[in-house]
Amino acid sequence: MDIYLVGGAVRDKLLGKPALDRDFVVVGATPGQMLAAGYKPVGKDFPVFIHPDSGEEYALARTERKTAPGYRGFSFHAAPTVTLEEDLARRDLSINAIAERRDGTLVDPFGGAGDLEARLLRHVSPAFVEDPVRVLRVARFAAQLANFGFTVAGETMDLMRRMVASGEVDHLVAERVWAELAKALAAPQPSAFVRTLRECGALARVLPEVDALYGVPQVAKYHPEVDTGRHVELVLDMAAQLAPGDTRVGFCALTHDLGKACTPPDELPSHRGHEHRGLKPLAVLAERLRVPAEHLALAQIVCREHLNAHRALELKPGTVLKLLESVDALRRPERLEPFLLACEADKRGRQGHAEGSYPQARFLAAAREAAARVTAQPFLEAGKQGPEIGAAMRQARTRAIAALPRPAR
């Protein structure tokens, strides 16, 4: 048997990036031979094995054939006669279809190394159109590799548009959409994911609530970028900068202004009440994609309260306490930091404001600490009971917040 390092590990090595996972293709072997060599089987649809020592994945070389719509509509054929080139031909992008021999030399039948140098995301073959997940993957790679200057090849974008027009993209299932979206939200430039999907027409099918934000104007005084869709792009990238890899903050950035698409036309470009209007489309999006509960809970808080966070330095002490309670920061202090990061991303995710400060975060963190220092024990010792204790604690917490210095805006 011949074993080759393939896929992302080869791509990232050529880009000078650390490879998180290493995958291997085995040519000329049978499942029985793999088992005899001590590999453990894990594949259901096709033979994949785990190395007994390293725990890395080794897949038998295989081909695939389209049998039905959607990404599940494939049959796979793995046999010792399947060549490395045949296995590589079924991959999505040329930069992911490079193999490395044991001696370090490359097998690159589709010009992936050249596309790496040209910074191009280019499909391997016309069979690209058979799997709708590839539209999401191209957009995700655009987000992950944007800082290297990668763009989507024109002919590949044309194929993606064809997949949207033919309805192939409509067969995507929630789990795969969320999986690719989450990876994009953890990428250095998530806005490239959104832009790529919009350019091929898939954003309206996959994330219609986000697509609806494009072309919706905002007041230029507060949003020099004007277009709400563009604002969301800026917020996404600022969130990636402030909280690298945090998909919760990224999801909040993506969804915090969904309500602006619901603003009555006669009220534009003002968006009074958008923070409450946004809760319904957020719930619809989250249910459709089966978004994790904690992501949704935090996104709902950010959607509802981000304007109050921005106004924190002007709020009365009692209102600051209500804001902290709305975030549930006293019972769940771990929620405050991602909430504040998402709010800061919103404030700085505006054209010309990327270098701005956000003293509201320091003040609200200090307010939470001051309020949390007030406990029920002194009031119990003073003989208070029941509702009296809660009222006394609120008063004491309000006074503690009032005593804090307010940073300059």
Side-chain angles (χ1 to χ4, degrees), residues 221-225 231 234-235 238 345-354:
K221 176 181 177 181
Y222 306 110
H223 287 278
E225 68 281 356
H231 167 59
L234 294 170
V235 177
M238 182 55 66
D346 176 41
K347 195 70 171 179
R348 294 173 59 186
R350 297 177 295 152
Q351 187 175 307
H353 291 264

Side-chain angles (χ1 to χ4, degrees), residues 82-99:
V82 176
T83 67
L84 175 64
E85 287 74 13
E86 288 174 323
D87 182 275
L88 295 175
R90 66 178 179 79
R91 297 172 186 266
D92 50 6
L93 298 173
S94 63
I95 64 171
N96 297 328
I98 309 170

Side-chain angles (χ1 to χ4, degrees), residues 143 184 188-196 214 230 232-234 236-237:
Q189 198 176 118
S191 65
F193 177 83
V194 175
R195 282 196 305 276
T196 301
Y214 284 88
R230 176 58 183 150
V232 170
E233 291 181 12
L234 294 170
L236 279 168
D237 291 347

Side-chain angles (χ1 to χ4, degrees), residues 90-115:
R90 66 178 179 79
R91 297 172 186 266
D92 50 6
L93 298 173
S94 63
I95 64 171
N96 297 328
I98 309 170
E100 182 182 280
R101 299 185 180 91
R102 292 178 186 270
D103 63 5
T105 59
L106 299 180
V107 180
D108 183 20
F110 303 103
D115 285 340

Side-chain angles (χ1 to χ4, degrees), residues 292-312:
E294 184 58 25
H295 284 65
L296 174 58
L298 187 62
Q300 288 172 324
I301 293 169
V302 172
C303 182
R304 186 181 66 238
E305 301 294 348
H306 65 277
L307 293 186
N308 285 328
H310 298 340
R311 293 191 289 256

Side-chain angles (χ1 to χ4, degrees), residues 334-352:
E334 72 278 3
R335 271 195 178 165
L336 185 59
E337 182 180 14
F339 167 76
L340 293 175
L341 287 168
C343 292
E344 181 176 354
D346 176 41
K347 195 70 171 179
R348 294 173 59 186
R350 297 177 295 152
Q351 187 175 307

Side-chain angles (χ1 to χ4, degrees), residues 113-135:
D115 285 340
L116 281 173
E117 291 184 7
R119 301 305 196 239
L120 272 182
L121 300 174
R122 184 173 57 84
H123 63 284
V124 167
S125 78
F128 178 94
V129 300
E130 296 177 350
D131 186 354
V133 174
R134 289 174 172 174
V135 172

